[in-house]
Amino acid sequence: LIILSIMYWNRQLKHAVNKQTQQLQELSASLERKVEERTRELKESKEKFELTITGSDDGLWQYVPSTDKNWFSPRYYEMLGYENNGIDPTHENWTKHVHPDDLEFVEKALEDHVENDTVYDLTYRMLTKDGEPFWIRDRARTLRDEEGNAISVNGSVTDIRELKEAELALSNEKKFTQTLLDSQEQIIISTDGDKLKTVNKKFYDFFSVDSIKAFNRKYDAQCICETFNNNAPKGYLQPRMGEEQWIDYVISRSDYSDLHKAMITIDGKDFIFSVTATNLPGGNNARSAVFTDITEMENSKTEIEHLYKHTQASIEYASLIQGAVIPDDAVFNHYFQDHFVIWEPKDTVGGDIYLFEELRNSDECLLMVIDCTGHGVSGALVTMLVKAIERQVVGRLNGDINIDVSPGWILSYFNRTMKSLLKQHNKSSASNAGFDGGVIYYNKKEQILKFAGAQIPLFYLEGEELKTIKGDHHSIGYKTSDIDYEFTDHIIPTKGDMSFYLTTDGYIDQLGGEKEFSFGKSHLTQLIKTYAQEKMEDQRTYFLNALREYQGEYERNDDVTMVAFRVHNK
């Protein structure tokens, strides 16, 4: 029994040992599989880590405070110009590759980060192996144990030299732009319409401030528009122009020829600016405006307008005076069967004038057509001198019934008298005024007409034949005129119906036509021939229409004067 019992337990024990051995074998195989799997995972993880390190554009680093040593990735070495492991890993040696001007700042930031867990995100300069500085961005996080002690600081470095170069270029461009703006005499601002964004030096100088905030405080204003004078004249800019902001109003009307003006009052003095504006690129609703000080110009304009009105009033009054010496058309009717007069000063007053005087009896008359130096006010002044001398001539003729009236003598008298009155004794004289003109004496009783001309011809029709008497090639007055010159008398017996035409050169010399040539004597004589049989008043209309059509869009050259008349003798 004992033997059987022992044999039984031996079998049980053997079975248990075999089972345990099998379990151990299975466990060992499982462990081997797990070790292999973990080994493979670690290998893959290492490969991925190495691949990440190798493929990263950033340089990776690790600092272990307990050993005061660093570890750097290959890319980190590459940035500094070294091969792998080219830097002694001690922290002290690493600091030699930080730009000296930035080292204190970097070490302080790293110390604060390790001790106080502050954010470590820095931009500073490092030095390459050859000592060349370049900009980096350095970011790091600290790994700590359960007690909060720093185990390691793990960071990455990004090469930002291209970004810094771009920033530097942009900064230089901004400085250049600001310098350019500050050099301008105009106030230049940028704004969103409500608040100032940027201003130039002229803005600060004008408002006597040193910053936009100082402007805001001093003028209790966020925008320059809040300094616009509310009592400015109508049309001046206000913060809102109807439904638009002032700057939008200016931009939308940038093509208008009228100036946009704003009035700003500083210390009781009004300043007037012309304002231009435009939208700035970028899509941020930024707009720019330029304020040009036109105060002096506007003040001068006001003075000029006042002076112009005063001068114009004087000239218009002078025109009344000049018009008063022009003869009444009614006096022509006693001597001539028909007549017309064209008298058109280029300006309000002119240098052309015609004079008509009855002489010693009702049969004699004197007609003068005069073209004085220049036109406008200067020419008109000379016409008054001519009128004064003409009164002397008429007084002398009327004082002696036996004087044989000579148009040539009259022109010579004018020449001597004007040169004397205007002190034109030599070529160095200050005055050089005078006139060209024609003088006609007509005696209807004796049926005789006398003519003398100074540069001006007389056209007349005898029957159907148009004849011309050229005036002397000599002017009245002027420094170069001969004071002793004797003008020629031309005597024309009047018979049948004869028409006479006397004109200043303003009609003949008018520019126009397709080639901007002068109207010309030939054109005038053709008109005379064409319309000679028409009534004089109708001829006047034809002559004026022909001149204006020829002139077209061209400016009037000169004063225009023409006197024409028809005599009828039995």
Side-chain angles (χ1 to χ4, degrees), residues 130-142:
D130 299 327
E132 293 295 326
F134 69 100
W135 285 93
I136 64 165
R137 181 182 181 187
D138 192 1
R139 290 163 289 183
R141 293 286 299 275
T142 296

Side-chain angles (χ1 to χ4, degrees), residues 43 54 58 93 96 125 194 197 256 342 374 376 398 462 466 541:
K43 183 178 180 182
T54 304
D58 294 342
N93 191 57
K96 296 177 182 178
R125 289 164 292 177
D194 294 318
K197 299 296 184 182
Y256 286 26
I342 296 174
N398 285 338
E462 187 173 355
L466 178 62
T541 301

Side-chain angles (χ1 to χ4, degrees), residues 296-553:
E296 290 187 9
M297 184 181 74
E298 287 294 306
N299 291 340
S300 298
K301 179 182 176 182
T302 301
E303 292 178 6
I304 290 172
E305 287 177 349
H306 175 74
L307 180 62
Y308 173 79
K309 289 179 180 179
H310 177 74
T311 303
Q312 189 62 28
S314 298
I315 293 174
E316 289 174 357
Y317 188 71
S319 176
L320 295 177
I321 297 173
Q322 188 176 44
V325 304
I326 296 299
D328 191 333
D329 278 358
V331 298
F332 284 84
N333 296 330
H334 177 70
Y335 293 91
F336 307 130
Q337 181 183 0
D338 198 2
H339 78 280
F340 77 75
V341 173
I342 296 174
W343 184 62
E344 291 189 349
K346 179 178 182 291
D347 302 309
T348 307
V349 292
D352 277 10
I353 193 171
Y354 68 99
L355 304 170
F356 188 88
E357 297 288 349
E358 293 184 286
L359 294 180
R360 296 162 292 195
N361 54 63
S362 60
D363 294 325
E364 294 178 294
C365 64
L366 200 62
L367 170 65
M368 301 181 186
V369 174
I370 306 295
D371 180 4
C372 297
T373 303
H375 48 77
V377 173
S378 59
L381 286 174
V382 182
T383 66
M384 294 299 99
L385 179 60
V386 168
K387 178 62 180 178
I389 299 173
E390 183 249 18
R391 295 310 302 159
Q392 294 179 13
V393 170
V394 172
R396 185 166 180 176
L397 293 176
N398 285 338
D400 188 349
I401 195 171
N402 295 316
I403 293 178
D404 184 20
V405 180
S406 166
W409 174 86
I410 292 174
L411 287 177
S412 297
Y413 182 85
F414 266 107
N415 187 41
R416 292 191 298 272
T417 306
M418 289 193 71
K419 287 181 71 67
S420 176
L421 290 174
L422 297 176
K423 299 180 175 60
Q424 297 172 341
H425 305 300
N426 52 60
K427 293 182 179 181
S428 63
S429 300
S431 170
N432 193 31
F435 70 81
D436 295 337
V439 178
I440 291 176
Y441 165 75
Y442 176 58
N443 189 317
K444 70 175 183 177
K445 181 179 179 181
E446 296 181 2
Q447 298 184 7
I448 191 171
L449 182 145
K450 296 180 182 180
F451 168 74
Q455 304 284 9
I456 286 183
L458 174 67
F459 304 96
Y460 69 97
L461 276 165
E462 187 173 355
E464 295 184 357
E465 183 182 1
L466 178 62
K467 297 181 179 182
T468 303
I469 298 177
K470 294 182 178 180
D472 287 283
H473 192 58
H474 196 281
S475 296
I476 305 301
Y478 298 108
K479 293 188 290 187
T480 57
S481 296
D482 180 1
I483 196 170
D484 297 318
Y485 187 84
E486 298 292 335
F487 287 85
T488 306
D489 279 334
H490 300 272
I491 302 174
I492 305 170
T494 59
K495 49 189 176 180
D497 289 331
M498 298 180 69
S499 298
F500 296 85
Y501 300 83
L502 196 58
T503 179
T504 61
D505 60 7
Y507 190 97
I508 296 169
D509 291 345
Q510 176 59 49
L511 298 179
E514 295 181 358
K515 299 182 179 180
E516 198 180 355
F517 289 162
S518 297
F519 189 83
K521 291 182 180 178
S522 62
H523 199 169
L524 173 60
T525 56
Q526 186 59 48
L527 286 175
I528 294 174
K529 291 177 182 179
T530 302
Y531 299 110
Q533 303 307 314
E534 303 289 341
K535 292 181 179 179
M536 282 291 177
E537 189 59 30
D538 293 337
Q539 289 188 47
R540 180 181 188 276
T541 301
Y542 296 140
F543 283 20
L544 280 176
N545 288 344
L547 181 65
R548 288 166 182 164
E549 182 178 351
Y550 186 82
Q551 177 181 341
E553 298 298 323

